[in-house]
Amino acid sequence: MAHAFGGAAAPAILRNSDLDADAVRQARIDLAACFRMAAKLGLHEGICNHLSFVVPGRDDLFLVNPYGWAFSEITASRLLVCDFHGHVVAGEGVPEATAFYIHARVHKNLPRAKAAFHTHMPNATALTMLDGPPLVWAGQTALKFYGRTVVDEEYGGLALDEAEGDRIAASIGEADIVFMRNHGVMVLGPSIAEAWDDLYYLERACEVQRLAMTMNRPLKVVPPAMARKTYDQMREGDRESARLHLESVKRILAQEAPDFAR
């Protein structure tokens, strides 16, 4: 299912000390932690899914996982740095082809999307396969995403060229959560912590909805005014909660799989 990207060799001018900055090293550690916890929680799929983050201080470069490695194998140093033209600026290997064409175009076309997490996590992906809205406002956890979602209704096969990447980016608009019909989901965020927090709670919201749907009784949807009020309450402390969530992930991994930060 995965495809190696046939990128070009990186121009030497792009190799500079910017990539050794403390902020870049921390971003590598934080992103690696997300890969490892996503694997631990079953939010990955073989070697096919991808998480990316724009390199701090370099809006023309992004961190992404290399082709051929499972989420559970990712370390901070194993992550690649790529530009938007297909050059691998730092790291060994190449990105998976769809990872490049989706993430490069999303980061280039949507500068607000510093983090872009794309997975085929099972419950959220299952809802993309049903007619109608994937996520309904019937559970409290779902209300975290009230007014923040969009459905990309046009399944275009594998993203193996810039045109499909541009189409996906254009479909997102102002949304943070994209249900990609017949495909999977993408979560966009201004930070790694916020993207991780949304990815985790999105799958939990979809899981409990799927469970409720098996009970052969109608879902009781939260009225719009209350849904908006609850969303506002949740968003008030979301950034700090997300930061603390990722810190807890790193503490767990430091005990169970400390090599993630290597």
Side-chain angles (χ1 to χ4, degrees):
M1 293 174 65
H3 294 66
F5 176 69
I13 193 171
L14 290 177
R15 296 183 179 275
N16 59 60
S17 60
D18 288 356
L19 302 185
D20 298 322
D22 289 344
V24 178
R25 173 63 181 164
Q26 189 59 58
R28 284 180 171 276
I29 292 171
D30 289 351
L31 192 57
C34 295
F35 279 105
R36 291 297 188 92
M37 188 55 72
K40 181 179 174 67
L41 298 176
L43 309 185
H44 62 315
E45 186 173 69
I47 58 170
C48 297
N49 295 175
H50 359 96
L51 314 180
S52 65
F53 184 65
V54 173
V55 173
R58 292 294 302 261
D59 288 343
D60 57 334
L61 304 175
F62 64 100
L63 289 160
V64 70
N65 44 313
Y67 174 63
W69 297 87
F71 277 23
S72 60
E73 298 178 292
I74 296 299
T75 64
S77 62
R78 187 162 284 154
L79 293 168
L80 304 177
V81 176
C82 298
D83 69 11
F84 298 146
H85 307 291
H87 301 116
V88 176
V89 176
E92 296 184 8
V94 296
E96 197 271 330
T98 64
F100 174 75
Y101 286 116
I102 293 174
H103 292 252
R105 306 314 291 175
V106 166
H107 289 308
K108 180 176 175 59
N109 295 340
L110 300 172
R112 68 182 177 85
K114 299 300 184 185
F117 287 11
H118 170 55
T119 75
H120 302 165
M121 54 192 189
N123 293 287
T125 300
L127 296 184
T128 73
M129 298 162 61
L130 304 177
D131 282 335
L135 187 63
V136 298
W137 315 117
Q140 178 170 286
T141 302
L143 300 181
K144 173 179 171 65
F145 307 106
Y146 188 78
R148 300 174 60 205
T149 68
V150 70
V151 181
D152 176 9
E153 295 282 3
E154 185 182 341
Y155 177 65
L158 299 184
L160 295 176
D161 54 43
E162 288 188 352
E164 178 61 8
D166 286 337
R167 188 200 64 76
I168 291 171
S171 76
I172 296 170
E174 297 302 313
D176 299 325
I177 312 298
V178 188
F179 286 91
M180 305 166 79
R181 188 68 79 189
N182 308 110
H183 183 177
V185 294
M186 180 176 291
V187 172
L188 308 180
S191 70
I192 292 171
E194 289 167 271
W196 165 255
D197 197 60
D198 278 348
L199 189 78
Y200 172 83
Y201 285 110
L202 179 65
E203 179 67 353
R204 295 292 287 176
C206 292
E207 180 181 19
V208 74
Q209 178 178 313
R210 180 186 61 79
L211 179 61
M213 290 167 64
T214 68
M215 296 180 180
N216 298 317
R217 294 171 60 183
L219 296 176
K220 185 172 178 58
V221 175
V222 177
M226 183 54 67
R228 170 57 64 177
K229 177 182 177 180
T230 307
Y231 162 80
D232 289 339
Q233 291 172 328
M234 288 182 169
R235 291 294 278 174
E236 190 171 322
D238 230 15
R239 179 169 296 179
E240 178 65 3
S241 179
R243 184 188 71 80
L244 293 173
H245 187 182
L246 184 56
E247 289 301 313
S248 76
V249 166
K250 289 185 288 185
R251 287 194 301 271
I252 292 168
L253 292 172
Q255 294 294 320
E256 298 180 358
D259 66 313
F260 85 94
R262 174 167 52 81

